């Protein structure tokens, strides 16, 4: 009823309001995004032009100088070249040096000199602002590295020499660039080198060079060096938006220019090398490069950061005319461009949505007054269908028919809750889901059965107050039940202080043997922890014995139509019960059969006990003591001592089964003295007495369990 009333209103009103809000929001956002994209790309184009302008000017300068030398041979070797180079350094503060290499290896350079700086180890006059360097290899003699120091007005202040030098312009990178340009006419007329550390200033920079070609031969190369710090400062001072990051990178991910100079290079092995994009601190930029390889686009928005913020990224080719695979990359939060308008749109959407919600709440509240008891009753029935019987839901109604229905539902829930206390929960769930009536009968299945019992319970019952002992036993039974339920097993019955449980039915479980072992170890260790608390409270400790066996047994409903039980029957049940009892003979806690070992032995910490024979069966059964679980939860793991005990017992058993009883007795005695182990004491005694290893498990007439 509540849903119908709300649905009618929603069908009539919601689509029109929601459609109007969506149309307004979507159209506004699309228009805003167009303007934002236009502004973003304009900012990128401005940055590209501004940064490319000085590079193009340097390229024009070296190209013109190369053309002059080609037309006027000897110009670059004469004094006119000094004036040209000084003028270029004055006009371009970013330049650090201007230099020329010749085909005979000679070299001329004009470099800027900072106040107080040394030049090749020479201390120039204090007023020095330029240093003219000359290396003449034309004579064939060992050349000298000579300097002439000039002031800001290009007046000569003095000269000096760094002595003989091995410097050969033809071995330098700018000359190799010139050779490549001269030999390959498809290349640009000017070459730009990748960033490197300019030795004269100790900063990252690049060189621009052009070849001088005469009669088809390379006769000289003209080049300039300029630092990238001014470009970095420009990027820092002129971001595309308030929170944008602009940088220049190579296609291979090498950082060329970054607005933060500290992000441009790293020192590795004594060398300064350019940083990779993956090494910079800006997570948004790193994410943009990762997304670009996925999206195959140069302009995109993405959300790839932990804060969930949306970013826009733009990749623009830079200096492609010089053959450089460089790009200008701009990454900015979209909120820098459309944040205020987007917030207004969101506010409009929120207000419209709030109006719809308020109207729906009002209608829903009115409908709830009428339908609340029915809604609660539906939830209660759904909970019963899910077999969730532990929650209490209080329902009331002034309508007589609804009140009677509520009472019947609560009574059914109480009956089911009581039913599951006597019948395995999964059996009851299966009956509810199937809808079929309960029938007598069963089927043969390969299951795992477990029996537990308390050690010396009769003695405890005689010495302990009944109420306190009952509380202790109830705690122990609760621990075993919880361990069985946690491993998808079924508690069949309680027989005094004993528990019978099985795995593999009614729900199929391919790992039933392992789950039974996990439940046994859990129960044993939880009881050990509880014993510490009981001992502190002055109460006696309880110790449990467990027997586990896997076998084909009959499982199903047994009894009469008036009273029946979902249980297991068969010889395998008897063996599990006898394995629980045989712990007493060997002083062990958890005894499992070889069939359990075959199912999951590789995941258990256990040790062999002996071959035993079951009355009425041919052949013996090898039994083991289970100590811990391999690779499971931490509280089920074996201690180093338990692991050592398993290994040493296996070695002793191998000696005994091989017929070397004397060596086996010594091995068992050593285990007994090291670990105070009752099993080793018993097995050592048997070896010394020369008894056969196979023992007979008798079927006790007064057994607590008579399965079937």
């Amino acid at each position: 009823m509540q849903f119908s009333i709300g649905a009618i209103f929603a069908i009539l009103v919601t689509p029109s309001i929601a459609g109007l809000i969506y149309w307004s929001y979507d159209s506004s956002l699309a228009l805003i995004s167009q303007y934002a994209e236009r502004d973003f790309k304009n900012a990128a184009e401005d940055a590209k032009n501004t940064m490319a302008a000085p590079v193009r000017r340097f390229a024009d300068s070296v190209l013109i100088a190369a053309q002059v030398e080609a037309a006027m041979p000897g110009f670059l070797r004469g004094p006119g070249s000094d004036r040209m180079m000084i003028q270029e350094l004055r006009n371009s503060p970013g330049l650090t040096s201007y230099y020329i290499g010749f085909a005979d290896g000679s070299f001329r350079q004009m470099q800027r000199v900072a106040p107080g700086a040394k030049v090749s180890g020479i201390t120039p006059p204090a007023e020095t602002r330029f240093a003219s360097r000359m290396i003449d290899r034309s004579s064939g003699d060992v050349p000298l590295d000579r300097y002439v120091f000039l002031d800001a007005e290009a007046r000569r202040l003095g000269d000096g020499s760094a002595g003989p030098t091995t410097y050969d312009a033809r071995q330098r990178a700018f000359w190799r660039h010139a050779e490549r340009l001269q030999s390959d006419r498809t290349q640009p007329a000017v070459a730009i080198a990748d960033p490197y550390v300019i030795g004269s200033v100790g900063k990252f920079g690049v060189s621009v060079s052009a070849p001088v070609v005469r009669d088809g031969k390379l006769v000289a190369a003209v080049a300039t060096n300029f630092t990238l710090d001014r470009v970095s400062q420009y990027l820092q001072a002129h971001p595309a938006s308030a929170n944008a990051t602009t940088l220049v990178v190579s296609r291979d991910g090498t950082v060329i220019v970054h607005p933060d100079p500290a992000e441009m290079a790293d020192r590795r092995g004594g060398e300064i090398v350019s940083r990779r994009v993956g090494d910079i601190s800006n997570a948004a930029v790193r994410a943009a490069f990762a997304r670009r390889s996925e999206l195959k686009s140069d302009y995109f928005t993405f959300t790839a950061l932990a804060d969930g913020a949306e970013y826009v990224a733009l990749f623009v080719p830079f200096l492609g005319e010089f053959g450089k695979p460089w790009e200008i990359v701009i990454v900015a939060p979209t909120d820098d461009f459309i944040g205020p308008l987007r917030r207004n749109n969101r506010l409009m959407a929120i207000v419209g949505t709030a109006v719809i919600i308020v109207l729906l709440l009002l209608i829903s509240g009115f409908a709830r007054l009428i339908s609340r008891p029915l809604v609660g009753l539906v939830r209660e029935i759904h909970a019963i269908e899910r077999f969730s019987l532990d929650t209490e839901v209080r329902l009331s109604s002034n309508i007589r028919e609804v009140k009677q229905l509520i009472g019947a539902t609560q009574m059914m829930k109480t009956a089911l809750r009581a039913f599951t206390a006597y019948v395995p929960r999964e059996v009851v769930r299966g009956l509810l889901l199937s809808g079929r009536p309960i029938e007598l009968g069963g089927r043969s299945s390969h299951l795992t059965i477990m029996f537990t019992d308390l050690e010396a319970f009769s003695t405890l019952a005689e010495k302990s107050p009944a109420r306190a002992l009952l509380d202790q036993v109830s705690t122990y039974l609760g621990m075993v039940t919880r361990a069985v339920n946690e491993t998808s097993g079924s508690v069949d019955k309680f027989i005094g202080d004993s528990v019978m449980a099985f795995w593999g039915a009614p729900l199929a479980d391919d790992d039933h043997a392992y789950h039974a072992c996990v439940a046994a170890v859990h129960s044993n260790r939880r009881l050990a922890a509880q014993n510490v608390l009981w001992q502190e409270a002055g109460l006696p400790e309880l110790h449990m014995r467990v027997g586990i066996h896997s076998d084909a047994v009959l499982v199903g409903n047994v009894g009469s139509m008036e009273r029946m039980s979902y249980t297991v029957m068969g010889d395998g049940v008897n063996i599990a019960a006898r394995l629980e009892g045989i712990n007493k003979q060997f002083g062990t806690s958890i005894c499992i059969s070889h069939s359990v070992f075959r199912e999951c032995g590789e995941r258990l910490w256990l040790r062999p006990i002996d071959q035993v024979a079951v009355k009425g069966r041919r052949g013996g059964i090898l039994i083991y003591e289970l100590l811990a679980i391999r690779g499971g939860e931490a509280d089920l793991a074996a201690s180093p001592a338990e692991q050592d005990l398993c290994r040493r017992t296996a070695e002793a058993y191998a000696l005994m089964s091989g017929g070397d009883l004397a060596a086996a007795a010594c091995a068992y005695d050593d285990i007994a003295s090291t670990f105070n182990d009752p099993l080793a004491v018993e097995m050592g005694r048997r070896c010394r007495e020369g008894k056969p290893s196979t023992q007979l498990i008798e079927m006790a007439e007064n057994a607590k369990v008579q399965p079937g």
Side-chain angles (χ1 to χ4, degrees):
M1 186 182 299
Q2 178 182 349
F3 173 78
S4 298
I5 296 174
I8 291 172
F9 174 80
I11 292 172
L12 294 176
V13 178
T14 304
S16 57
I17 298 178
L20 180 62
I21 294 173
Y22 177 79
W23 175 81
S24 176
Y25 179 86
D26 188 63
S27 58
S28 299
L29 187 60
L31 185 61
I32 293 168
S33 298
Q34 290 177 5
Y35 282 113
E37 180 179 353
R38 183 196 63 187
D39 294 344
F40 196 57
K41 291 183 176 179
N42 288 341
E45 193 64 26
D46 290 343
K48 172 183 175 181
N49 293 334
T50 302
M51 290 188 293
V55 179
R56 294 191 178 106
R57 185 171 66 251
F58 302 152
D60 290 342
S61 175
V62 297
L63 186 59
I64 291 172
Q67 292 171 347
V68 170
E69 175 65 17
M72 302 171 57
F75 170 77
L76 294 181
R77 290 183 183 268
S81 64
D82 286 346
R83 291 191 295 272
M84 177 197 71
M85 291 188 288
I86 289 176
Q87 190 61 38
E88 287 295 333
L89 291 174
R90 284 173 176 167
N91 293 339
S92 304
L95 287 181
T96 61
S97 64
Y98 203 111
Y99 48 95
I100 306 135
F102 298 93
D104 61 3
S106 299
F107 182 73
R108 291 178 61 84
Q109 180 184 34
M110 186 67 68
Q111 67 184 67
R112 193 186 306 277
V113 179
K118 290 186 177 182
V119 179
S120 294
I122 304 171
T123 302
E127 296 81 8
T128 299
R129 293 297 177 266
F130 302 102
S132 175
R133 181 185 183 187
M134 292 162 286
I135 299 174
D136 187 2
R137 287 182 173 272
S138 60
S139 64
D141 297 330
V142 177
L144 296 178
D145 197 352
R146 295 181 294 112
Y147 289 87
V148 175
F149 303 112
L150 309 172
D151 63 9
E153 302 302 324
R155 292 188 292 264
R156 183 168 182 160
L157 299 175
D159 55 16
S161 174
T165 181
T166 60
Y167 185 95
D168 189 334
R170 295 166 296 185
Q171 305 300 320
R172 311 306 291 182
F174 78 95
W175 184 269
R176 290 195 294 272
H177 286 309
E179 287 180 325
R180 176 172 54 82
L181 296 181
Q182 187 267 337
S183 62
D184 186 356
R185 295 302 181 182
T186 64
Q187 296 290 327
V190 176
I192 299 179
D194 291 330
Y196 65 98
V197 178
I198 300 176
S200 60
V201 293
K203 296 180 180 180
F204 251 83
V206 297
S207 66
V208 179
S209 58
V212 179
V213 180
R214 188 181 306 117
D215 298 329
K217 296 181 179 180
L218 179 66
V219 297
V222 185
T224 62
N225 287 345
F226 64 92
T227 60
L228 297 173
D229 53 350
R230 288 183 175 271
V231 181
S232 178
Q233 293 168 6
Y234 170 80
L235 294 179
Q236 189 176 42
H238 301 86
S241 65
N243 299 289
T245 300
T246 304
L247 63 160
V248 181
V249 299
S250 178
R251 274 277 183 178
D252 64 358
T254 302
V255 176
I256 307 299
V257 186
H258 193 284
D260 182 0
E263 295 273 14
M264 292 173 58
D266 289 318
R267 184 175 292 277
R268 297 174 187 169
E271 295 184 2
I272 299 177
V273 296
S274 297
R275 192 173 273 186
R276 306 283 296 178
V277 171
D279 298 328
I280 64 177
S281 60
N282 192 311
V285 174
R286 298 198 307 269
F289 272 83
R291 293 304 303 274
R292 185 200 190 187
S293 62
E294 300 172 9
L295 300 175
K296 308 297 183 184
S297 175
D298 292 335
Y299 178 80
F300 55 88
T301 58
F302 65 97
T303 303
L305 302 180
D307 59 5
E310 185 182 68
Y311 288 81
V312 60
L314 177 63
F315 292 76
V316 179
F318 181 58
L319 298 181
E321 66 268 31
F322 297 107
K324 303 307 295 181
W326 294 353
E327 295 176 308
I328 295 176
V329 182
I330 304 178
V331 179
T334 55
D335 279 351
D336 281 3
F337 300 93
I338 61 176
L341 294 175
R342 177 179 284 173
R343 285 191 289 272
N344 287 338
N345 265 355
R346 287 175 179 170
L347 180 62
M348 181 179 66
I350 290 171
V351 170
T353 304
V355 170
I356 295 175
I357 291 174
V358 169
L359 292 175
L360 288 175
L361 289 176
L362 291 175
I363 297 299
S364 178
F366 175 73
R368 189 181 296 114
L369 294 176
I370 302 173
S371 61
R372 180 183 298 169
L374 294 176
V375 172
L377 189 59
V378 170
R379 290 199 191 100
E380 185 76 343
I381 293 174
H382 285 326
I384 294 173
E385 289 178 350
R386 296 192 305 272
F387 215 65
S388 177
L389 306 176
D390 299 326
T391 57
E392 293 291 341
V393 179
R394 297 187 179 276
L395 300 174
S396 62
S397 175
N398 295 324
I399 302 174
R400 185 182 63 179
E401 291 80 0
V402 176
K403 185 182 294 185
Q404 291 174 346
L405 186 58
I406 291 172
T409 303
Q410 294 294 347
M411 186 178 298
M412 178 178 65
K413 186 175 182 180
T414 302
L416 286 173
R417 190 184 295 124
F419 191 29
T420 57
Y422 297 94
V423 180
R425 196 178 187 91
E426 292 302 328
V427 175
V428 180
R429 188 195 302 271
L431 291 172
L432 287 178
L433 294 177
S434 68
R436 296 192 303 267
I438 302 176
E439 297 176 350
L440 291 173
R443 56 187 173 84
S444 178
S445 296
H446 190 75
L447 309 179
T448 298
I449 304 97
M450 180 182 78
F451 279 87
T452 75
D453 195 8
L454 287 178
E455 180 182 319
F457 180 73
S458 299
T459 304
L460 287 174
E462 294 174 359
K463 296 180 179 180
S464 303
R467 180 65 184 178
L469 184 59
L470 180 60
D471 290 342
Q472 286 184 271
V473 172
S474 297
T475 300
Y476 144 72
L477 294 176
M479 289 178 179
V480 176
T481 301
R482 179 157 60 96
V484 172
N485 290 337
E486 288 172 350
T487 53
S488 302
S490 298
V491 174
D492 187 298
K493 58 177 69 70
F494 299 107
I495 311 138
D497 61 318
S498 299
V499 179
M500 175 184 172
F502 56 89
W503 285 258
L507 295 179
D509 183 358
D510 294 335
D511 222 4
H512 50 82
Y514 175 73
H515 288 153
C517 293
V518 170
V521 176
H522 256 315
S523 301
N524 200 28
R525 296 199 172 183
R526 289 170 180 172
L527 183 60
Q530 183 63 40
N531 278 331
V532 175
L533 302 178
W534 282 337
Q535 189 177 31
E536 293 174 353
L539 297 173
E541 297 183 11
L542 300 182
H543 299 281
M544 64 186 294
R545 294 191 291 254
V546 182
I548 305 174
H549 178 61
S550 297
D551 209 339
V553 295
L554 186 64
V555 57
N557 296 317
V558 178
S560 66
M561 291 304 299
E562 289 75 22
R563 182 179 179 85
M564 65 181 66
S565 172
Y566 186 83
T567 187
V568 293
M569 301 186 303
D571 190 46
V573 181
N574 292 328
I575 294 176
R578 301 289 78 76
L579 289 178
E580 179 273 313
I582 207 171
N583 283 293
K584 186 175 182 180
Q585 298 180 31
F586 295 103
T588 53
S589 295
I590 306 174
C591 184
I592 70 171
S593 68
H594 189 66
S595 63
V596 177
F597 173 82
R598 286 198 307 267
E599 295 283 342
C600 59
E602 74 281 357
R603 291 185 281 173
L604 308 176
W605 280 105
L606 42 76
R607 54 181 183 153
I609 298 176
D610 202 354
Q611 289 275 354
V612 299
V614 181
K615 188 174 182 180
R617 276 197 172 205
R618 294 181 180 179
I621 299 175
L622 179 58
I623 62 174
Y624 307 79
E625 182 185 15
L626 173 62
L627 297 181
I629 305 298
R630 294 176 184 262
E633 303 172 26
D635 57 350
L636 300 179
S639 66
E642 289 174 325
Q643 297 178 26
D644 188 35
L645 179 60
C646 290
R647 286 190 291 267
R648 292 174 65 175
T649 304
E651 293 169 358
Y653 177 77
L655 292 171
M656 184 186 73
S657 61
D660 193 350
L661 298 183
C666 291
Y668 277 122
D669 290 343
D670 186 40
I671 294 171
S673 62
T674 303
F675 297 96
N676 191 25
D677 178 34
L679 173 61
V681 172
E682 174 65 15
M683 297 308 298
R685 181 186 65 80
R686 295 186 180 204
C687 290
R688 285 190 298 274
E689 293 177 358
K691 290 186 176 182
S693 62
T694 303
Q695 300 296 315
L696 189 64
I697 303 178
E698 298 290 348
M699 300 291 285
E701 295 180 359
N702 59 345
K704 294 179 180 179
V705 181
Q706 295 291 342

